[in-house]
Amino acid sequence: MKTNKKIYKDNQYTLSIDPGLNNVGWALFNEENKKMVEMGVRKFEPAKEAKISRLKRSARRNNGRKKWRKQQLKQAFIDFNLIGEDEFKNSQFYEFHPEQYKAAGVKNLMDLRCYALQNKVTYQELFQCIYNILKYRGNFFKR
């Protein structure tokens, strides 16, 4: 559907514009001579789907929330003097070592979480269990 709109009229010239989805057509007419002076088309890149931008924005927000939850858990353990701040800087602190639990049959963090329900665990193991929950399973803290 083409529309011819007069948007500017001087003494002898008329500018007409034809907007489209990916382009804008224009023409300049001389009213006295009834002739077209100049015309042209300006093409644009096709519009991106909003769905793609929305998915990327959602992923950025989710990553930010996950990072915030992990920082809040670390800070809670530090604030309650359960684990020292310097221990978090140690790269091996976050590693799970299943060889410590061979007798109990613990092979991974999920098994450790089940094991922690029935047995005493260290603050580091408790941290690893909650950290795993916050990382993959949801949010226990509120902003």
Side-chain angles (χ1 to χ4, degrees):
M1 177 176 131
K2 291 192 174 187
T3 57
N4 200 9
K5 297 182 181 179
K6 287 185 179 181
I7 62 167
Y8 177 79
K9 187 169 182 177
D10 200 352
N11 293 336
Q12 57 184 346
Y13 294 101
T14 301
L15 176 66
S16 296
I17 297 177
D18 180 21
L21 292 176
N22 295 332
N23 57 31
V24 174
W26 58 274
L28 186 63
F29 293 101
N30 187 334
E31 293 290 333
E32 290 179 2
N33 300 346
K34 300 291 183 191
K35 290 187 177 183
M36 188 179 316
V37 177
E38 206 170 328
M39 66 178 180
V41 175
R42 170 74 169 125
K43 293 188 177 184
F44 307 110
E45 292 182 18
K48 296 178 184 175
E49 286 187 33
K51 182 179 181 181
I52 295 168
S53 299
R54 194 177 321 119
L55 289 173
K56 289 181 179 180
R57 183 172 55 247
S58 176
R60 282 193 309 270
R61 287 178 179 167
N62 286 337
N63 287 338
R65 289 180 189 125
K66 187 189 301 185
K67 183 178 178 182
W68 181 84
R69 288 192 303 261
K70 292 189 295 187
Q71 288 173 346
Q72 289 295 309
L73 180 66
K74 287 179 194 177
Q75 194 59 47
F77 270 73
I78 291 169
D79 290 346
F80 291 110
N81 294 323
L82 301 176
I83 297 175
E85 192 171 353
D86 55 331
E87 291 182 54
F88 286 110
K89 294 176 183 172
N90 184 359
S91 62
Q92 293 182 352
F93 179 80
Y94 299 95
E95 294 177 10
F96 174 70
H97 301 286
E99 56 274 357
Q100 296 174 353
Y101 305 99
K102 279 190 180 177
V106 175
K107 297 175 186 167
N108 54 35
L109 273 172
M110 295 303 287
D111 291 340
L112 178 62
R113 286 170 52 185
C114 293
Y115 177 80
L117 292 173
Q118 313 249 336
N119 303 299
K120 278 191 162 187
V121 292
T122 65
Y123 289 131
Q124 179 182 358
E125 294 163 346
L126 178 64
F127 175 82
Q128 287 178 339
C129 291
I130 299 173
Y131 193 81
N132 182 260
I133 292 169
L134 293 180
K135 196 172 178 182
Y136 297 110
R137 301 289 186 241
N139 186 358
F140 292 102
F141 299 113
K142 296 192 179 197
R143 284 190 171 184

